[in-house]
Amino acid sequence: MKFGTKAIHAGIEPDPSTGAIMTPIYQTSTYVQASPGDHKGFEYSRSGNPTRDALQKNLAALENGTHGLCFGSGLAAIDAVIKLLSPGDEVISTNDLYGGTYRIFTKIFEKYGIKFHFIGMGEAANIEKYINSNTKLIWVETPTNPMMNIIDIKAVARISKKHEVLLAVDNTFATPYLQTPLDLGADIIMHSITKYLGGHSDVIMGALIVKDKKLADELAFIQNSCGAVTGPQDCFLVLRGIKTLHIRMQRHCENGKAVAQYLVKHPKVDKVYWPGFESHPNHSIAAEQMRDFGGMISFTLKGNDRQESFRVMERFHFFSLAESLGGVESLANHPATMTHASIPKKEREKIGLSDSLIRLSVGIENIEDLIEDLEQALG
Ligand code: P1T
């Protein structure tokens, strides 16, 4: 089955009791048993729910995995992955990543005795310097949030396999439409479903996808034991959103390219971070491991003036100033005060995340209107 067909059909069966083509919202906490232990596959909705099941199967198919698991948010999904580890274990993570991921690693899990190394992975070989007998997990975001760095998943997977360490990839920015890390050697895919997969800025949800039964069982045990599950209404909305993922992503990519090309020529713009430029340091890896370059772009203004960046963002009409990304509507974000405020300024500056950086999530509106909006806001 090709991607667009999977997005619409995978994991979705007509409802067995009525034939409804849309998976119903099974708004129930529990399921009646004929005799203790004699049930129809569902016992209690923390452990399993038919609407969630359909979504989990659909996600597994899109990522070329075998098992999907949905959580109450992207961070709840990340939380479940780190709960595979024990005190004393070490994690090597990209140093450019979503601020909330940095926060859960450093402010929550360091307290439980897990050590995190945040490193540049532009050269995958750099990772080996940090591997020791305690290393259990490599955490990769690619493209990274917000600097749009590209990490070579295949090269990192070679290292993780050699040292028998798990490799998790946060695939939120790319989505399975653009990149399928399990095919490149990753063990775990993580998604903030809140973003492109939901696609309509109306749901908070996370997911993990794997293709190993033992790992799936361990994560399902954590999902059920810790209970950070998502409700059936939200699963329904995401199932509906995913049906147009391939069409939306095509337009996000087209619009993203047009916006990046406009910004790079603008006299007031200094740097534009977008992996589609041949001048991007890892453009060739992006071209190899991604099917297109996505709709996320970061840029700075000449003079690097935070107040001028604020003025531009205040003037936008169609780029709404808001956290999040990946919805049909365009959003602008100021990472230093919004999504990445929990990363200390010193650490932010090490990766080039300056106080004047603006991040755009280019939506699927008419491109002429978006360019006009940029024109008036920058002008
Ligand atoms: O917000 P939540 O669904 O819990 O997902 C967290 C998360 C994880 N990984 C990446 C790459 C993310 O971008 C996010 C959430 N990010 C934003 C809210 C943002 O505006 O960047």
Side-chain angles (χ1 to χ4, degrees):
M1 226 193 292
K2 298 283 190 288
F3 191 88
T5 315
K6 275 195 215 172
I8 293 167
H9 292 287
I12 296 150
E13 301 290 341
D15 182 52
S17 55
T18 63
I21 192 163
M22 295 303 299
T23 308
I25 302 166
Y26 281 90
Q27 194 75 50
T28 185
S29 59
T30 194
Y31 307 82
V32 176
Q33 308 196 5
S35 172
D38 178 5
H39 54 74
K40 299 186 164 90
F42 296 95
E43 296 162 82
Y44 185 61
S45 276
R46 172 161 34 72
S47 338
N49 173 283
T51 321
R52 195 174 90 212
D53 242 33
L55 175 58
Q56 293 182 155
K57 287 190 178 121
N58 182 264
L59 291 168
L62 291 179
E63 284 287 6
N64 298 332
T66 52
H67 298 78
L69 296 149
C70 288
F71 295 84
S73 68
L75 277 167
I78 296 171
D79 178 70
V81 175
I82 307 302
K83 282 176 177 159
L84 291 167
L85 309 182
S86 303
D89 286 349
E90 298 189 16
V91 178
I92 303 172
S93 165
T94 32
N95 59 358
D96 174 20
L97 75 173
Y98 171 55
T101 310
Y102 180 87
R103 182 177 54 203
I104 192 173
F105 286 174
T106 56
K107 293 282 187 333
I108 304 291
F109 283 110
E110 276 184 359
K111 276 198 310 210
Y112 294 92
I114 294 169
K115 188 168 173 185
F116 294 86
H117 303 270
F118 295 96
I119 67 163
M121 293 189 189
E123 294 293 331
N126 192 28
I127 296 170
E128 276 195 297
K129 290 189 221 147
Y130 294 84
I131 294 190
N132 62 48
S133 57
N134 295 325
T135 312
K136 297 287 154 52
L137 175 72
I138 300 175
W139 185 272
V140 165
E141 233 184 69
T142 183
T144 59
N145 181 0
M147 300 309 297
M148 305 304 299
N149 287 309
I150 298 293
I151 316 298
D152 184 342
I153 300 171
K154 246 191 214 164
V156 179
R158 269 196 294 275
I159 294 168
S160 71
K161 296 237 172 345
K162 177 171 148 200
H163 296 275
E164 295 180 1
V165 169
L166 285 174
L167 169 59
V169 175
D170 182 335
N171 205 25
T172 299
F173 270 33
T175 82
Y177 176 77
L178 296 179
Q179 142 183 307
T180 41
L182 291 177
D183 297 338
L184 304 173
D187 301 293
I188 303 174
I189 306 300
M190 179 263 150
H191 275 286
S192 171
I193 299 276
T194 316
K195 312 293 161 28
Y196 288 104
L197 293 174
H200 296 75
S201 307
D202 49 10
V203 167
I204 297 282
M205 194 190 290
L208 301 174
I209 298 108
V210 299
K211 59 175 182 182
D212 174 81
K213 167 90 171 77
K214 186 168 162 282
L215 191 52
D217 288 347
E218 285 177 60
L219 289 167
F221 181 79
I222 294 169
Q223 184 195 39
N224 186 40
S225 304
C226 299
V229 293
T230 183
Q233 174 98 27
D234 283 356
C235 291
F236 174 86
L237 284 171
V238 174
L239 278 165
R240 178 175 159 141
I242 284 179
K243 288 185 194 295
T244 55
L245 177 65
H246 48 304
I247 309 289
R248 288 187 282 109
M249 287 310 294
Q250 267 172 13
R251 183 61 70 85
H252 282 296
C253 292
E254 277 168 33
N255 284 359
K257 183 176 180 184
V259 167
Q261 287 175 342
Y262 168 81
L263 287 173
V264 83
K265 288 193 209 111
H266 197 285
K268 287 200 178 156
V269 170
D270 185 18
K271 295 198 175 74
V272 183
Y273 302 90
W274 180 66
F277 290 131
E278 275 175 28
S279 58
H280 183 287
N282 268 348
H283 171 74
S284 59
I285 309 280
E288 207 182 301
Q289 72 186 14
M290 296 172 73
R291 290 171 200 103
D292 205 337
F293 303 107
M296 295 301 299
I297 300 164
S298 295
F299 69 102
T300 53
L301 299 175
K302 285 192 179 134
N304 208 18
D305 177 4
R306 172 187 158 108
Q307 287 315 319
E308 185 51 25
S309 293
F310 277 27
R311 278 191 289 275
V312 168
M313 287 183 276
E314 286 159 8
R315 282 198 292 258
F316 281 137
H317 297 313
F318 295 124
F319 286 90
S320 302
L321 180 59
E323 302 208 10
S324 204
L325 58 108
V328 290
E329 58 288 285
S330 293
L331 297 181
N333 167 53
H334 184 247
T337 54
M338 295 164 73
T339 50
H340 292 72
S342 50
I343 301 181
K345 189 173 162 72
K346 209 169 88 224
E347 297 303 316
R348 292 200 304 259
E349 280 172 354
K350 276 191 206 157
I351 55 158
L353 197 175
S354 74
D355 279 1
S356 75
L357 188 86
I358 300 174
R359 190 192 73 186
L360 299 179
S361 169
V362 182
I364 64 170
E365 299 93 336
N366 192 298
I367 188 62
E368 285 84 29
D369 290 328
L370 295 182
I371 298 289
E372 214 172 275
D373 197 22
L374 289 166
E375 183 86 27
Q376 66 77 23
L378 286 163

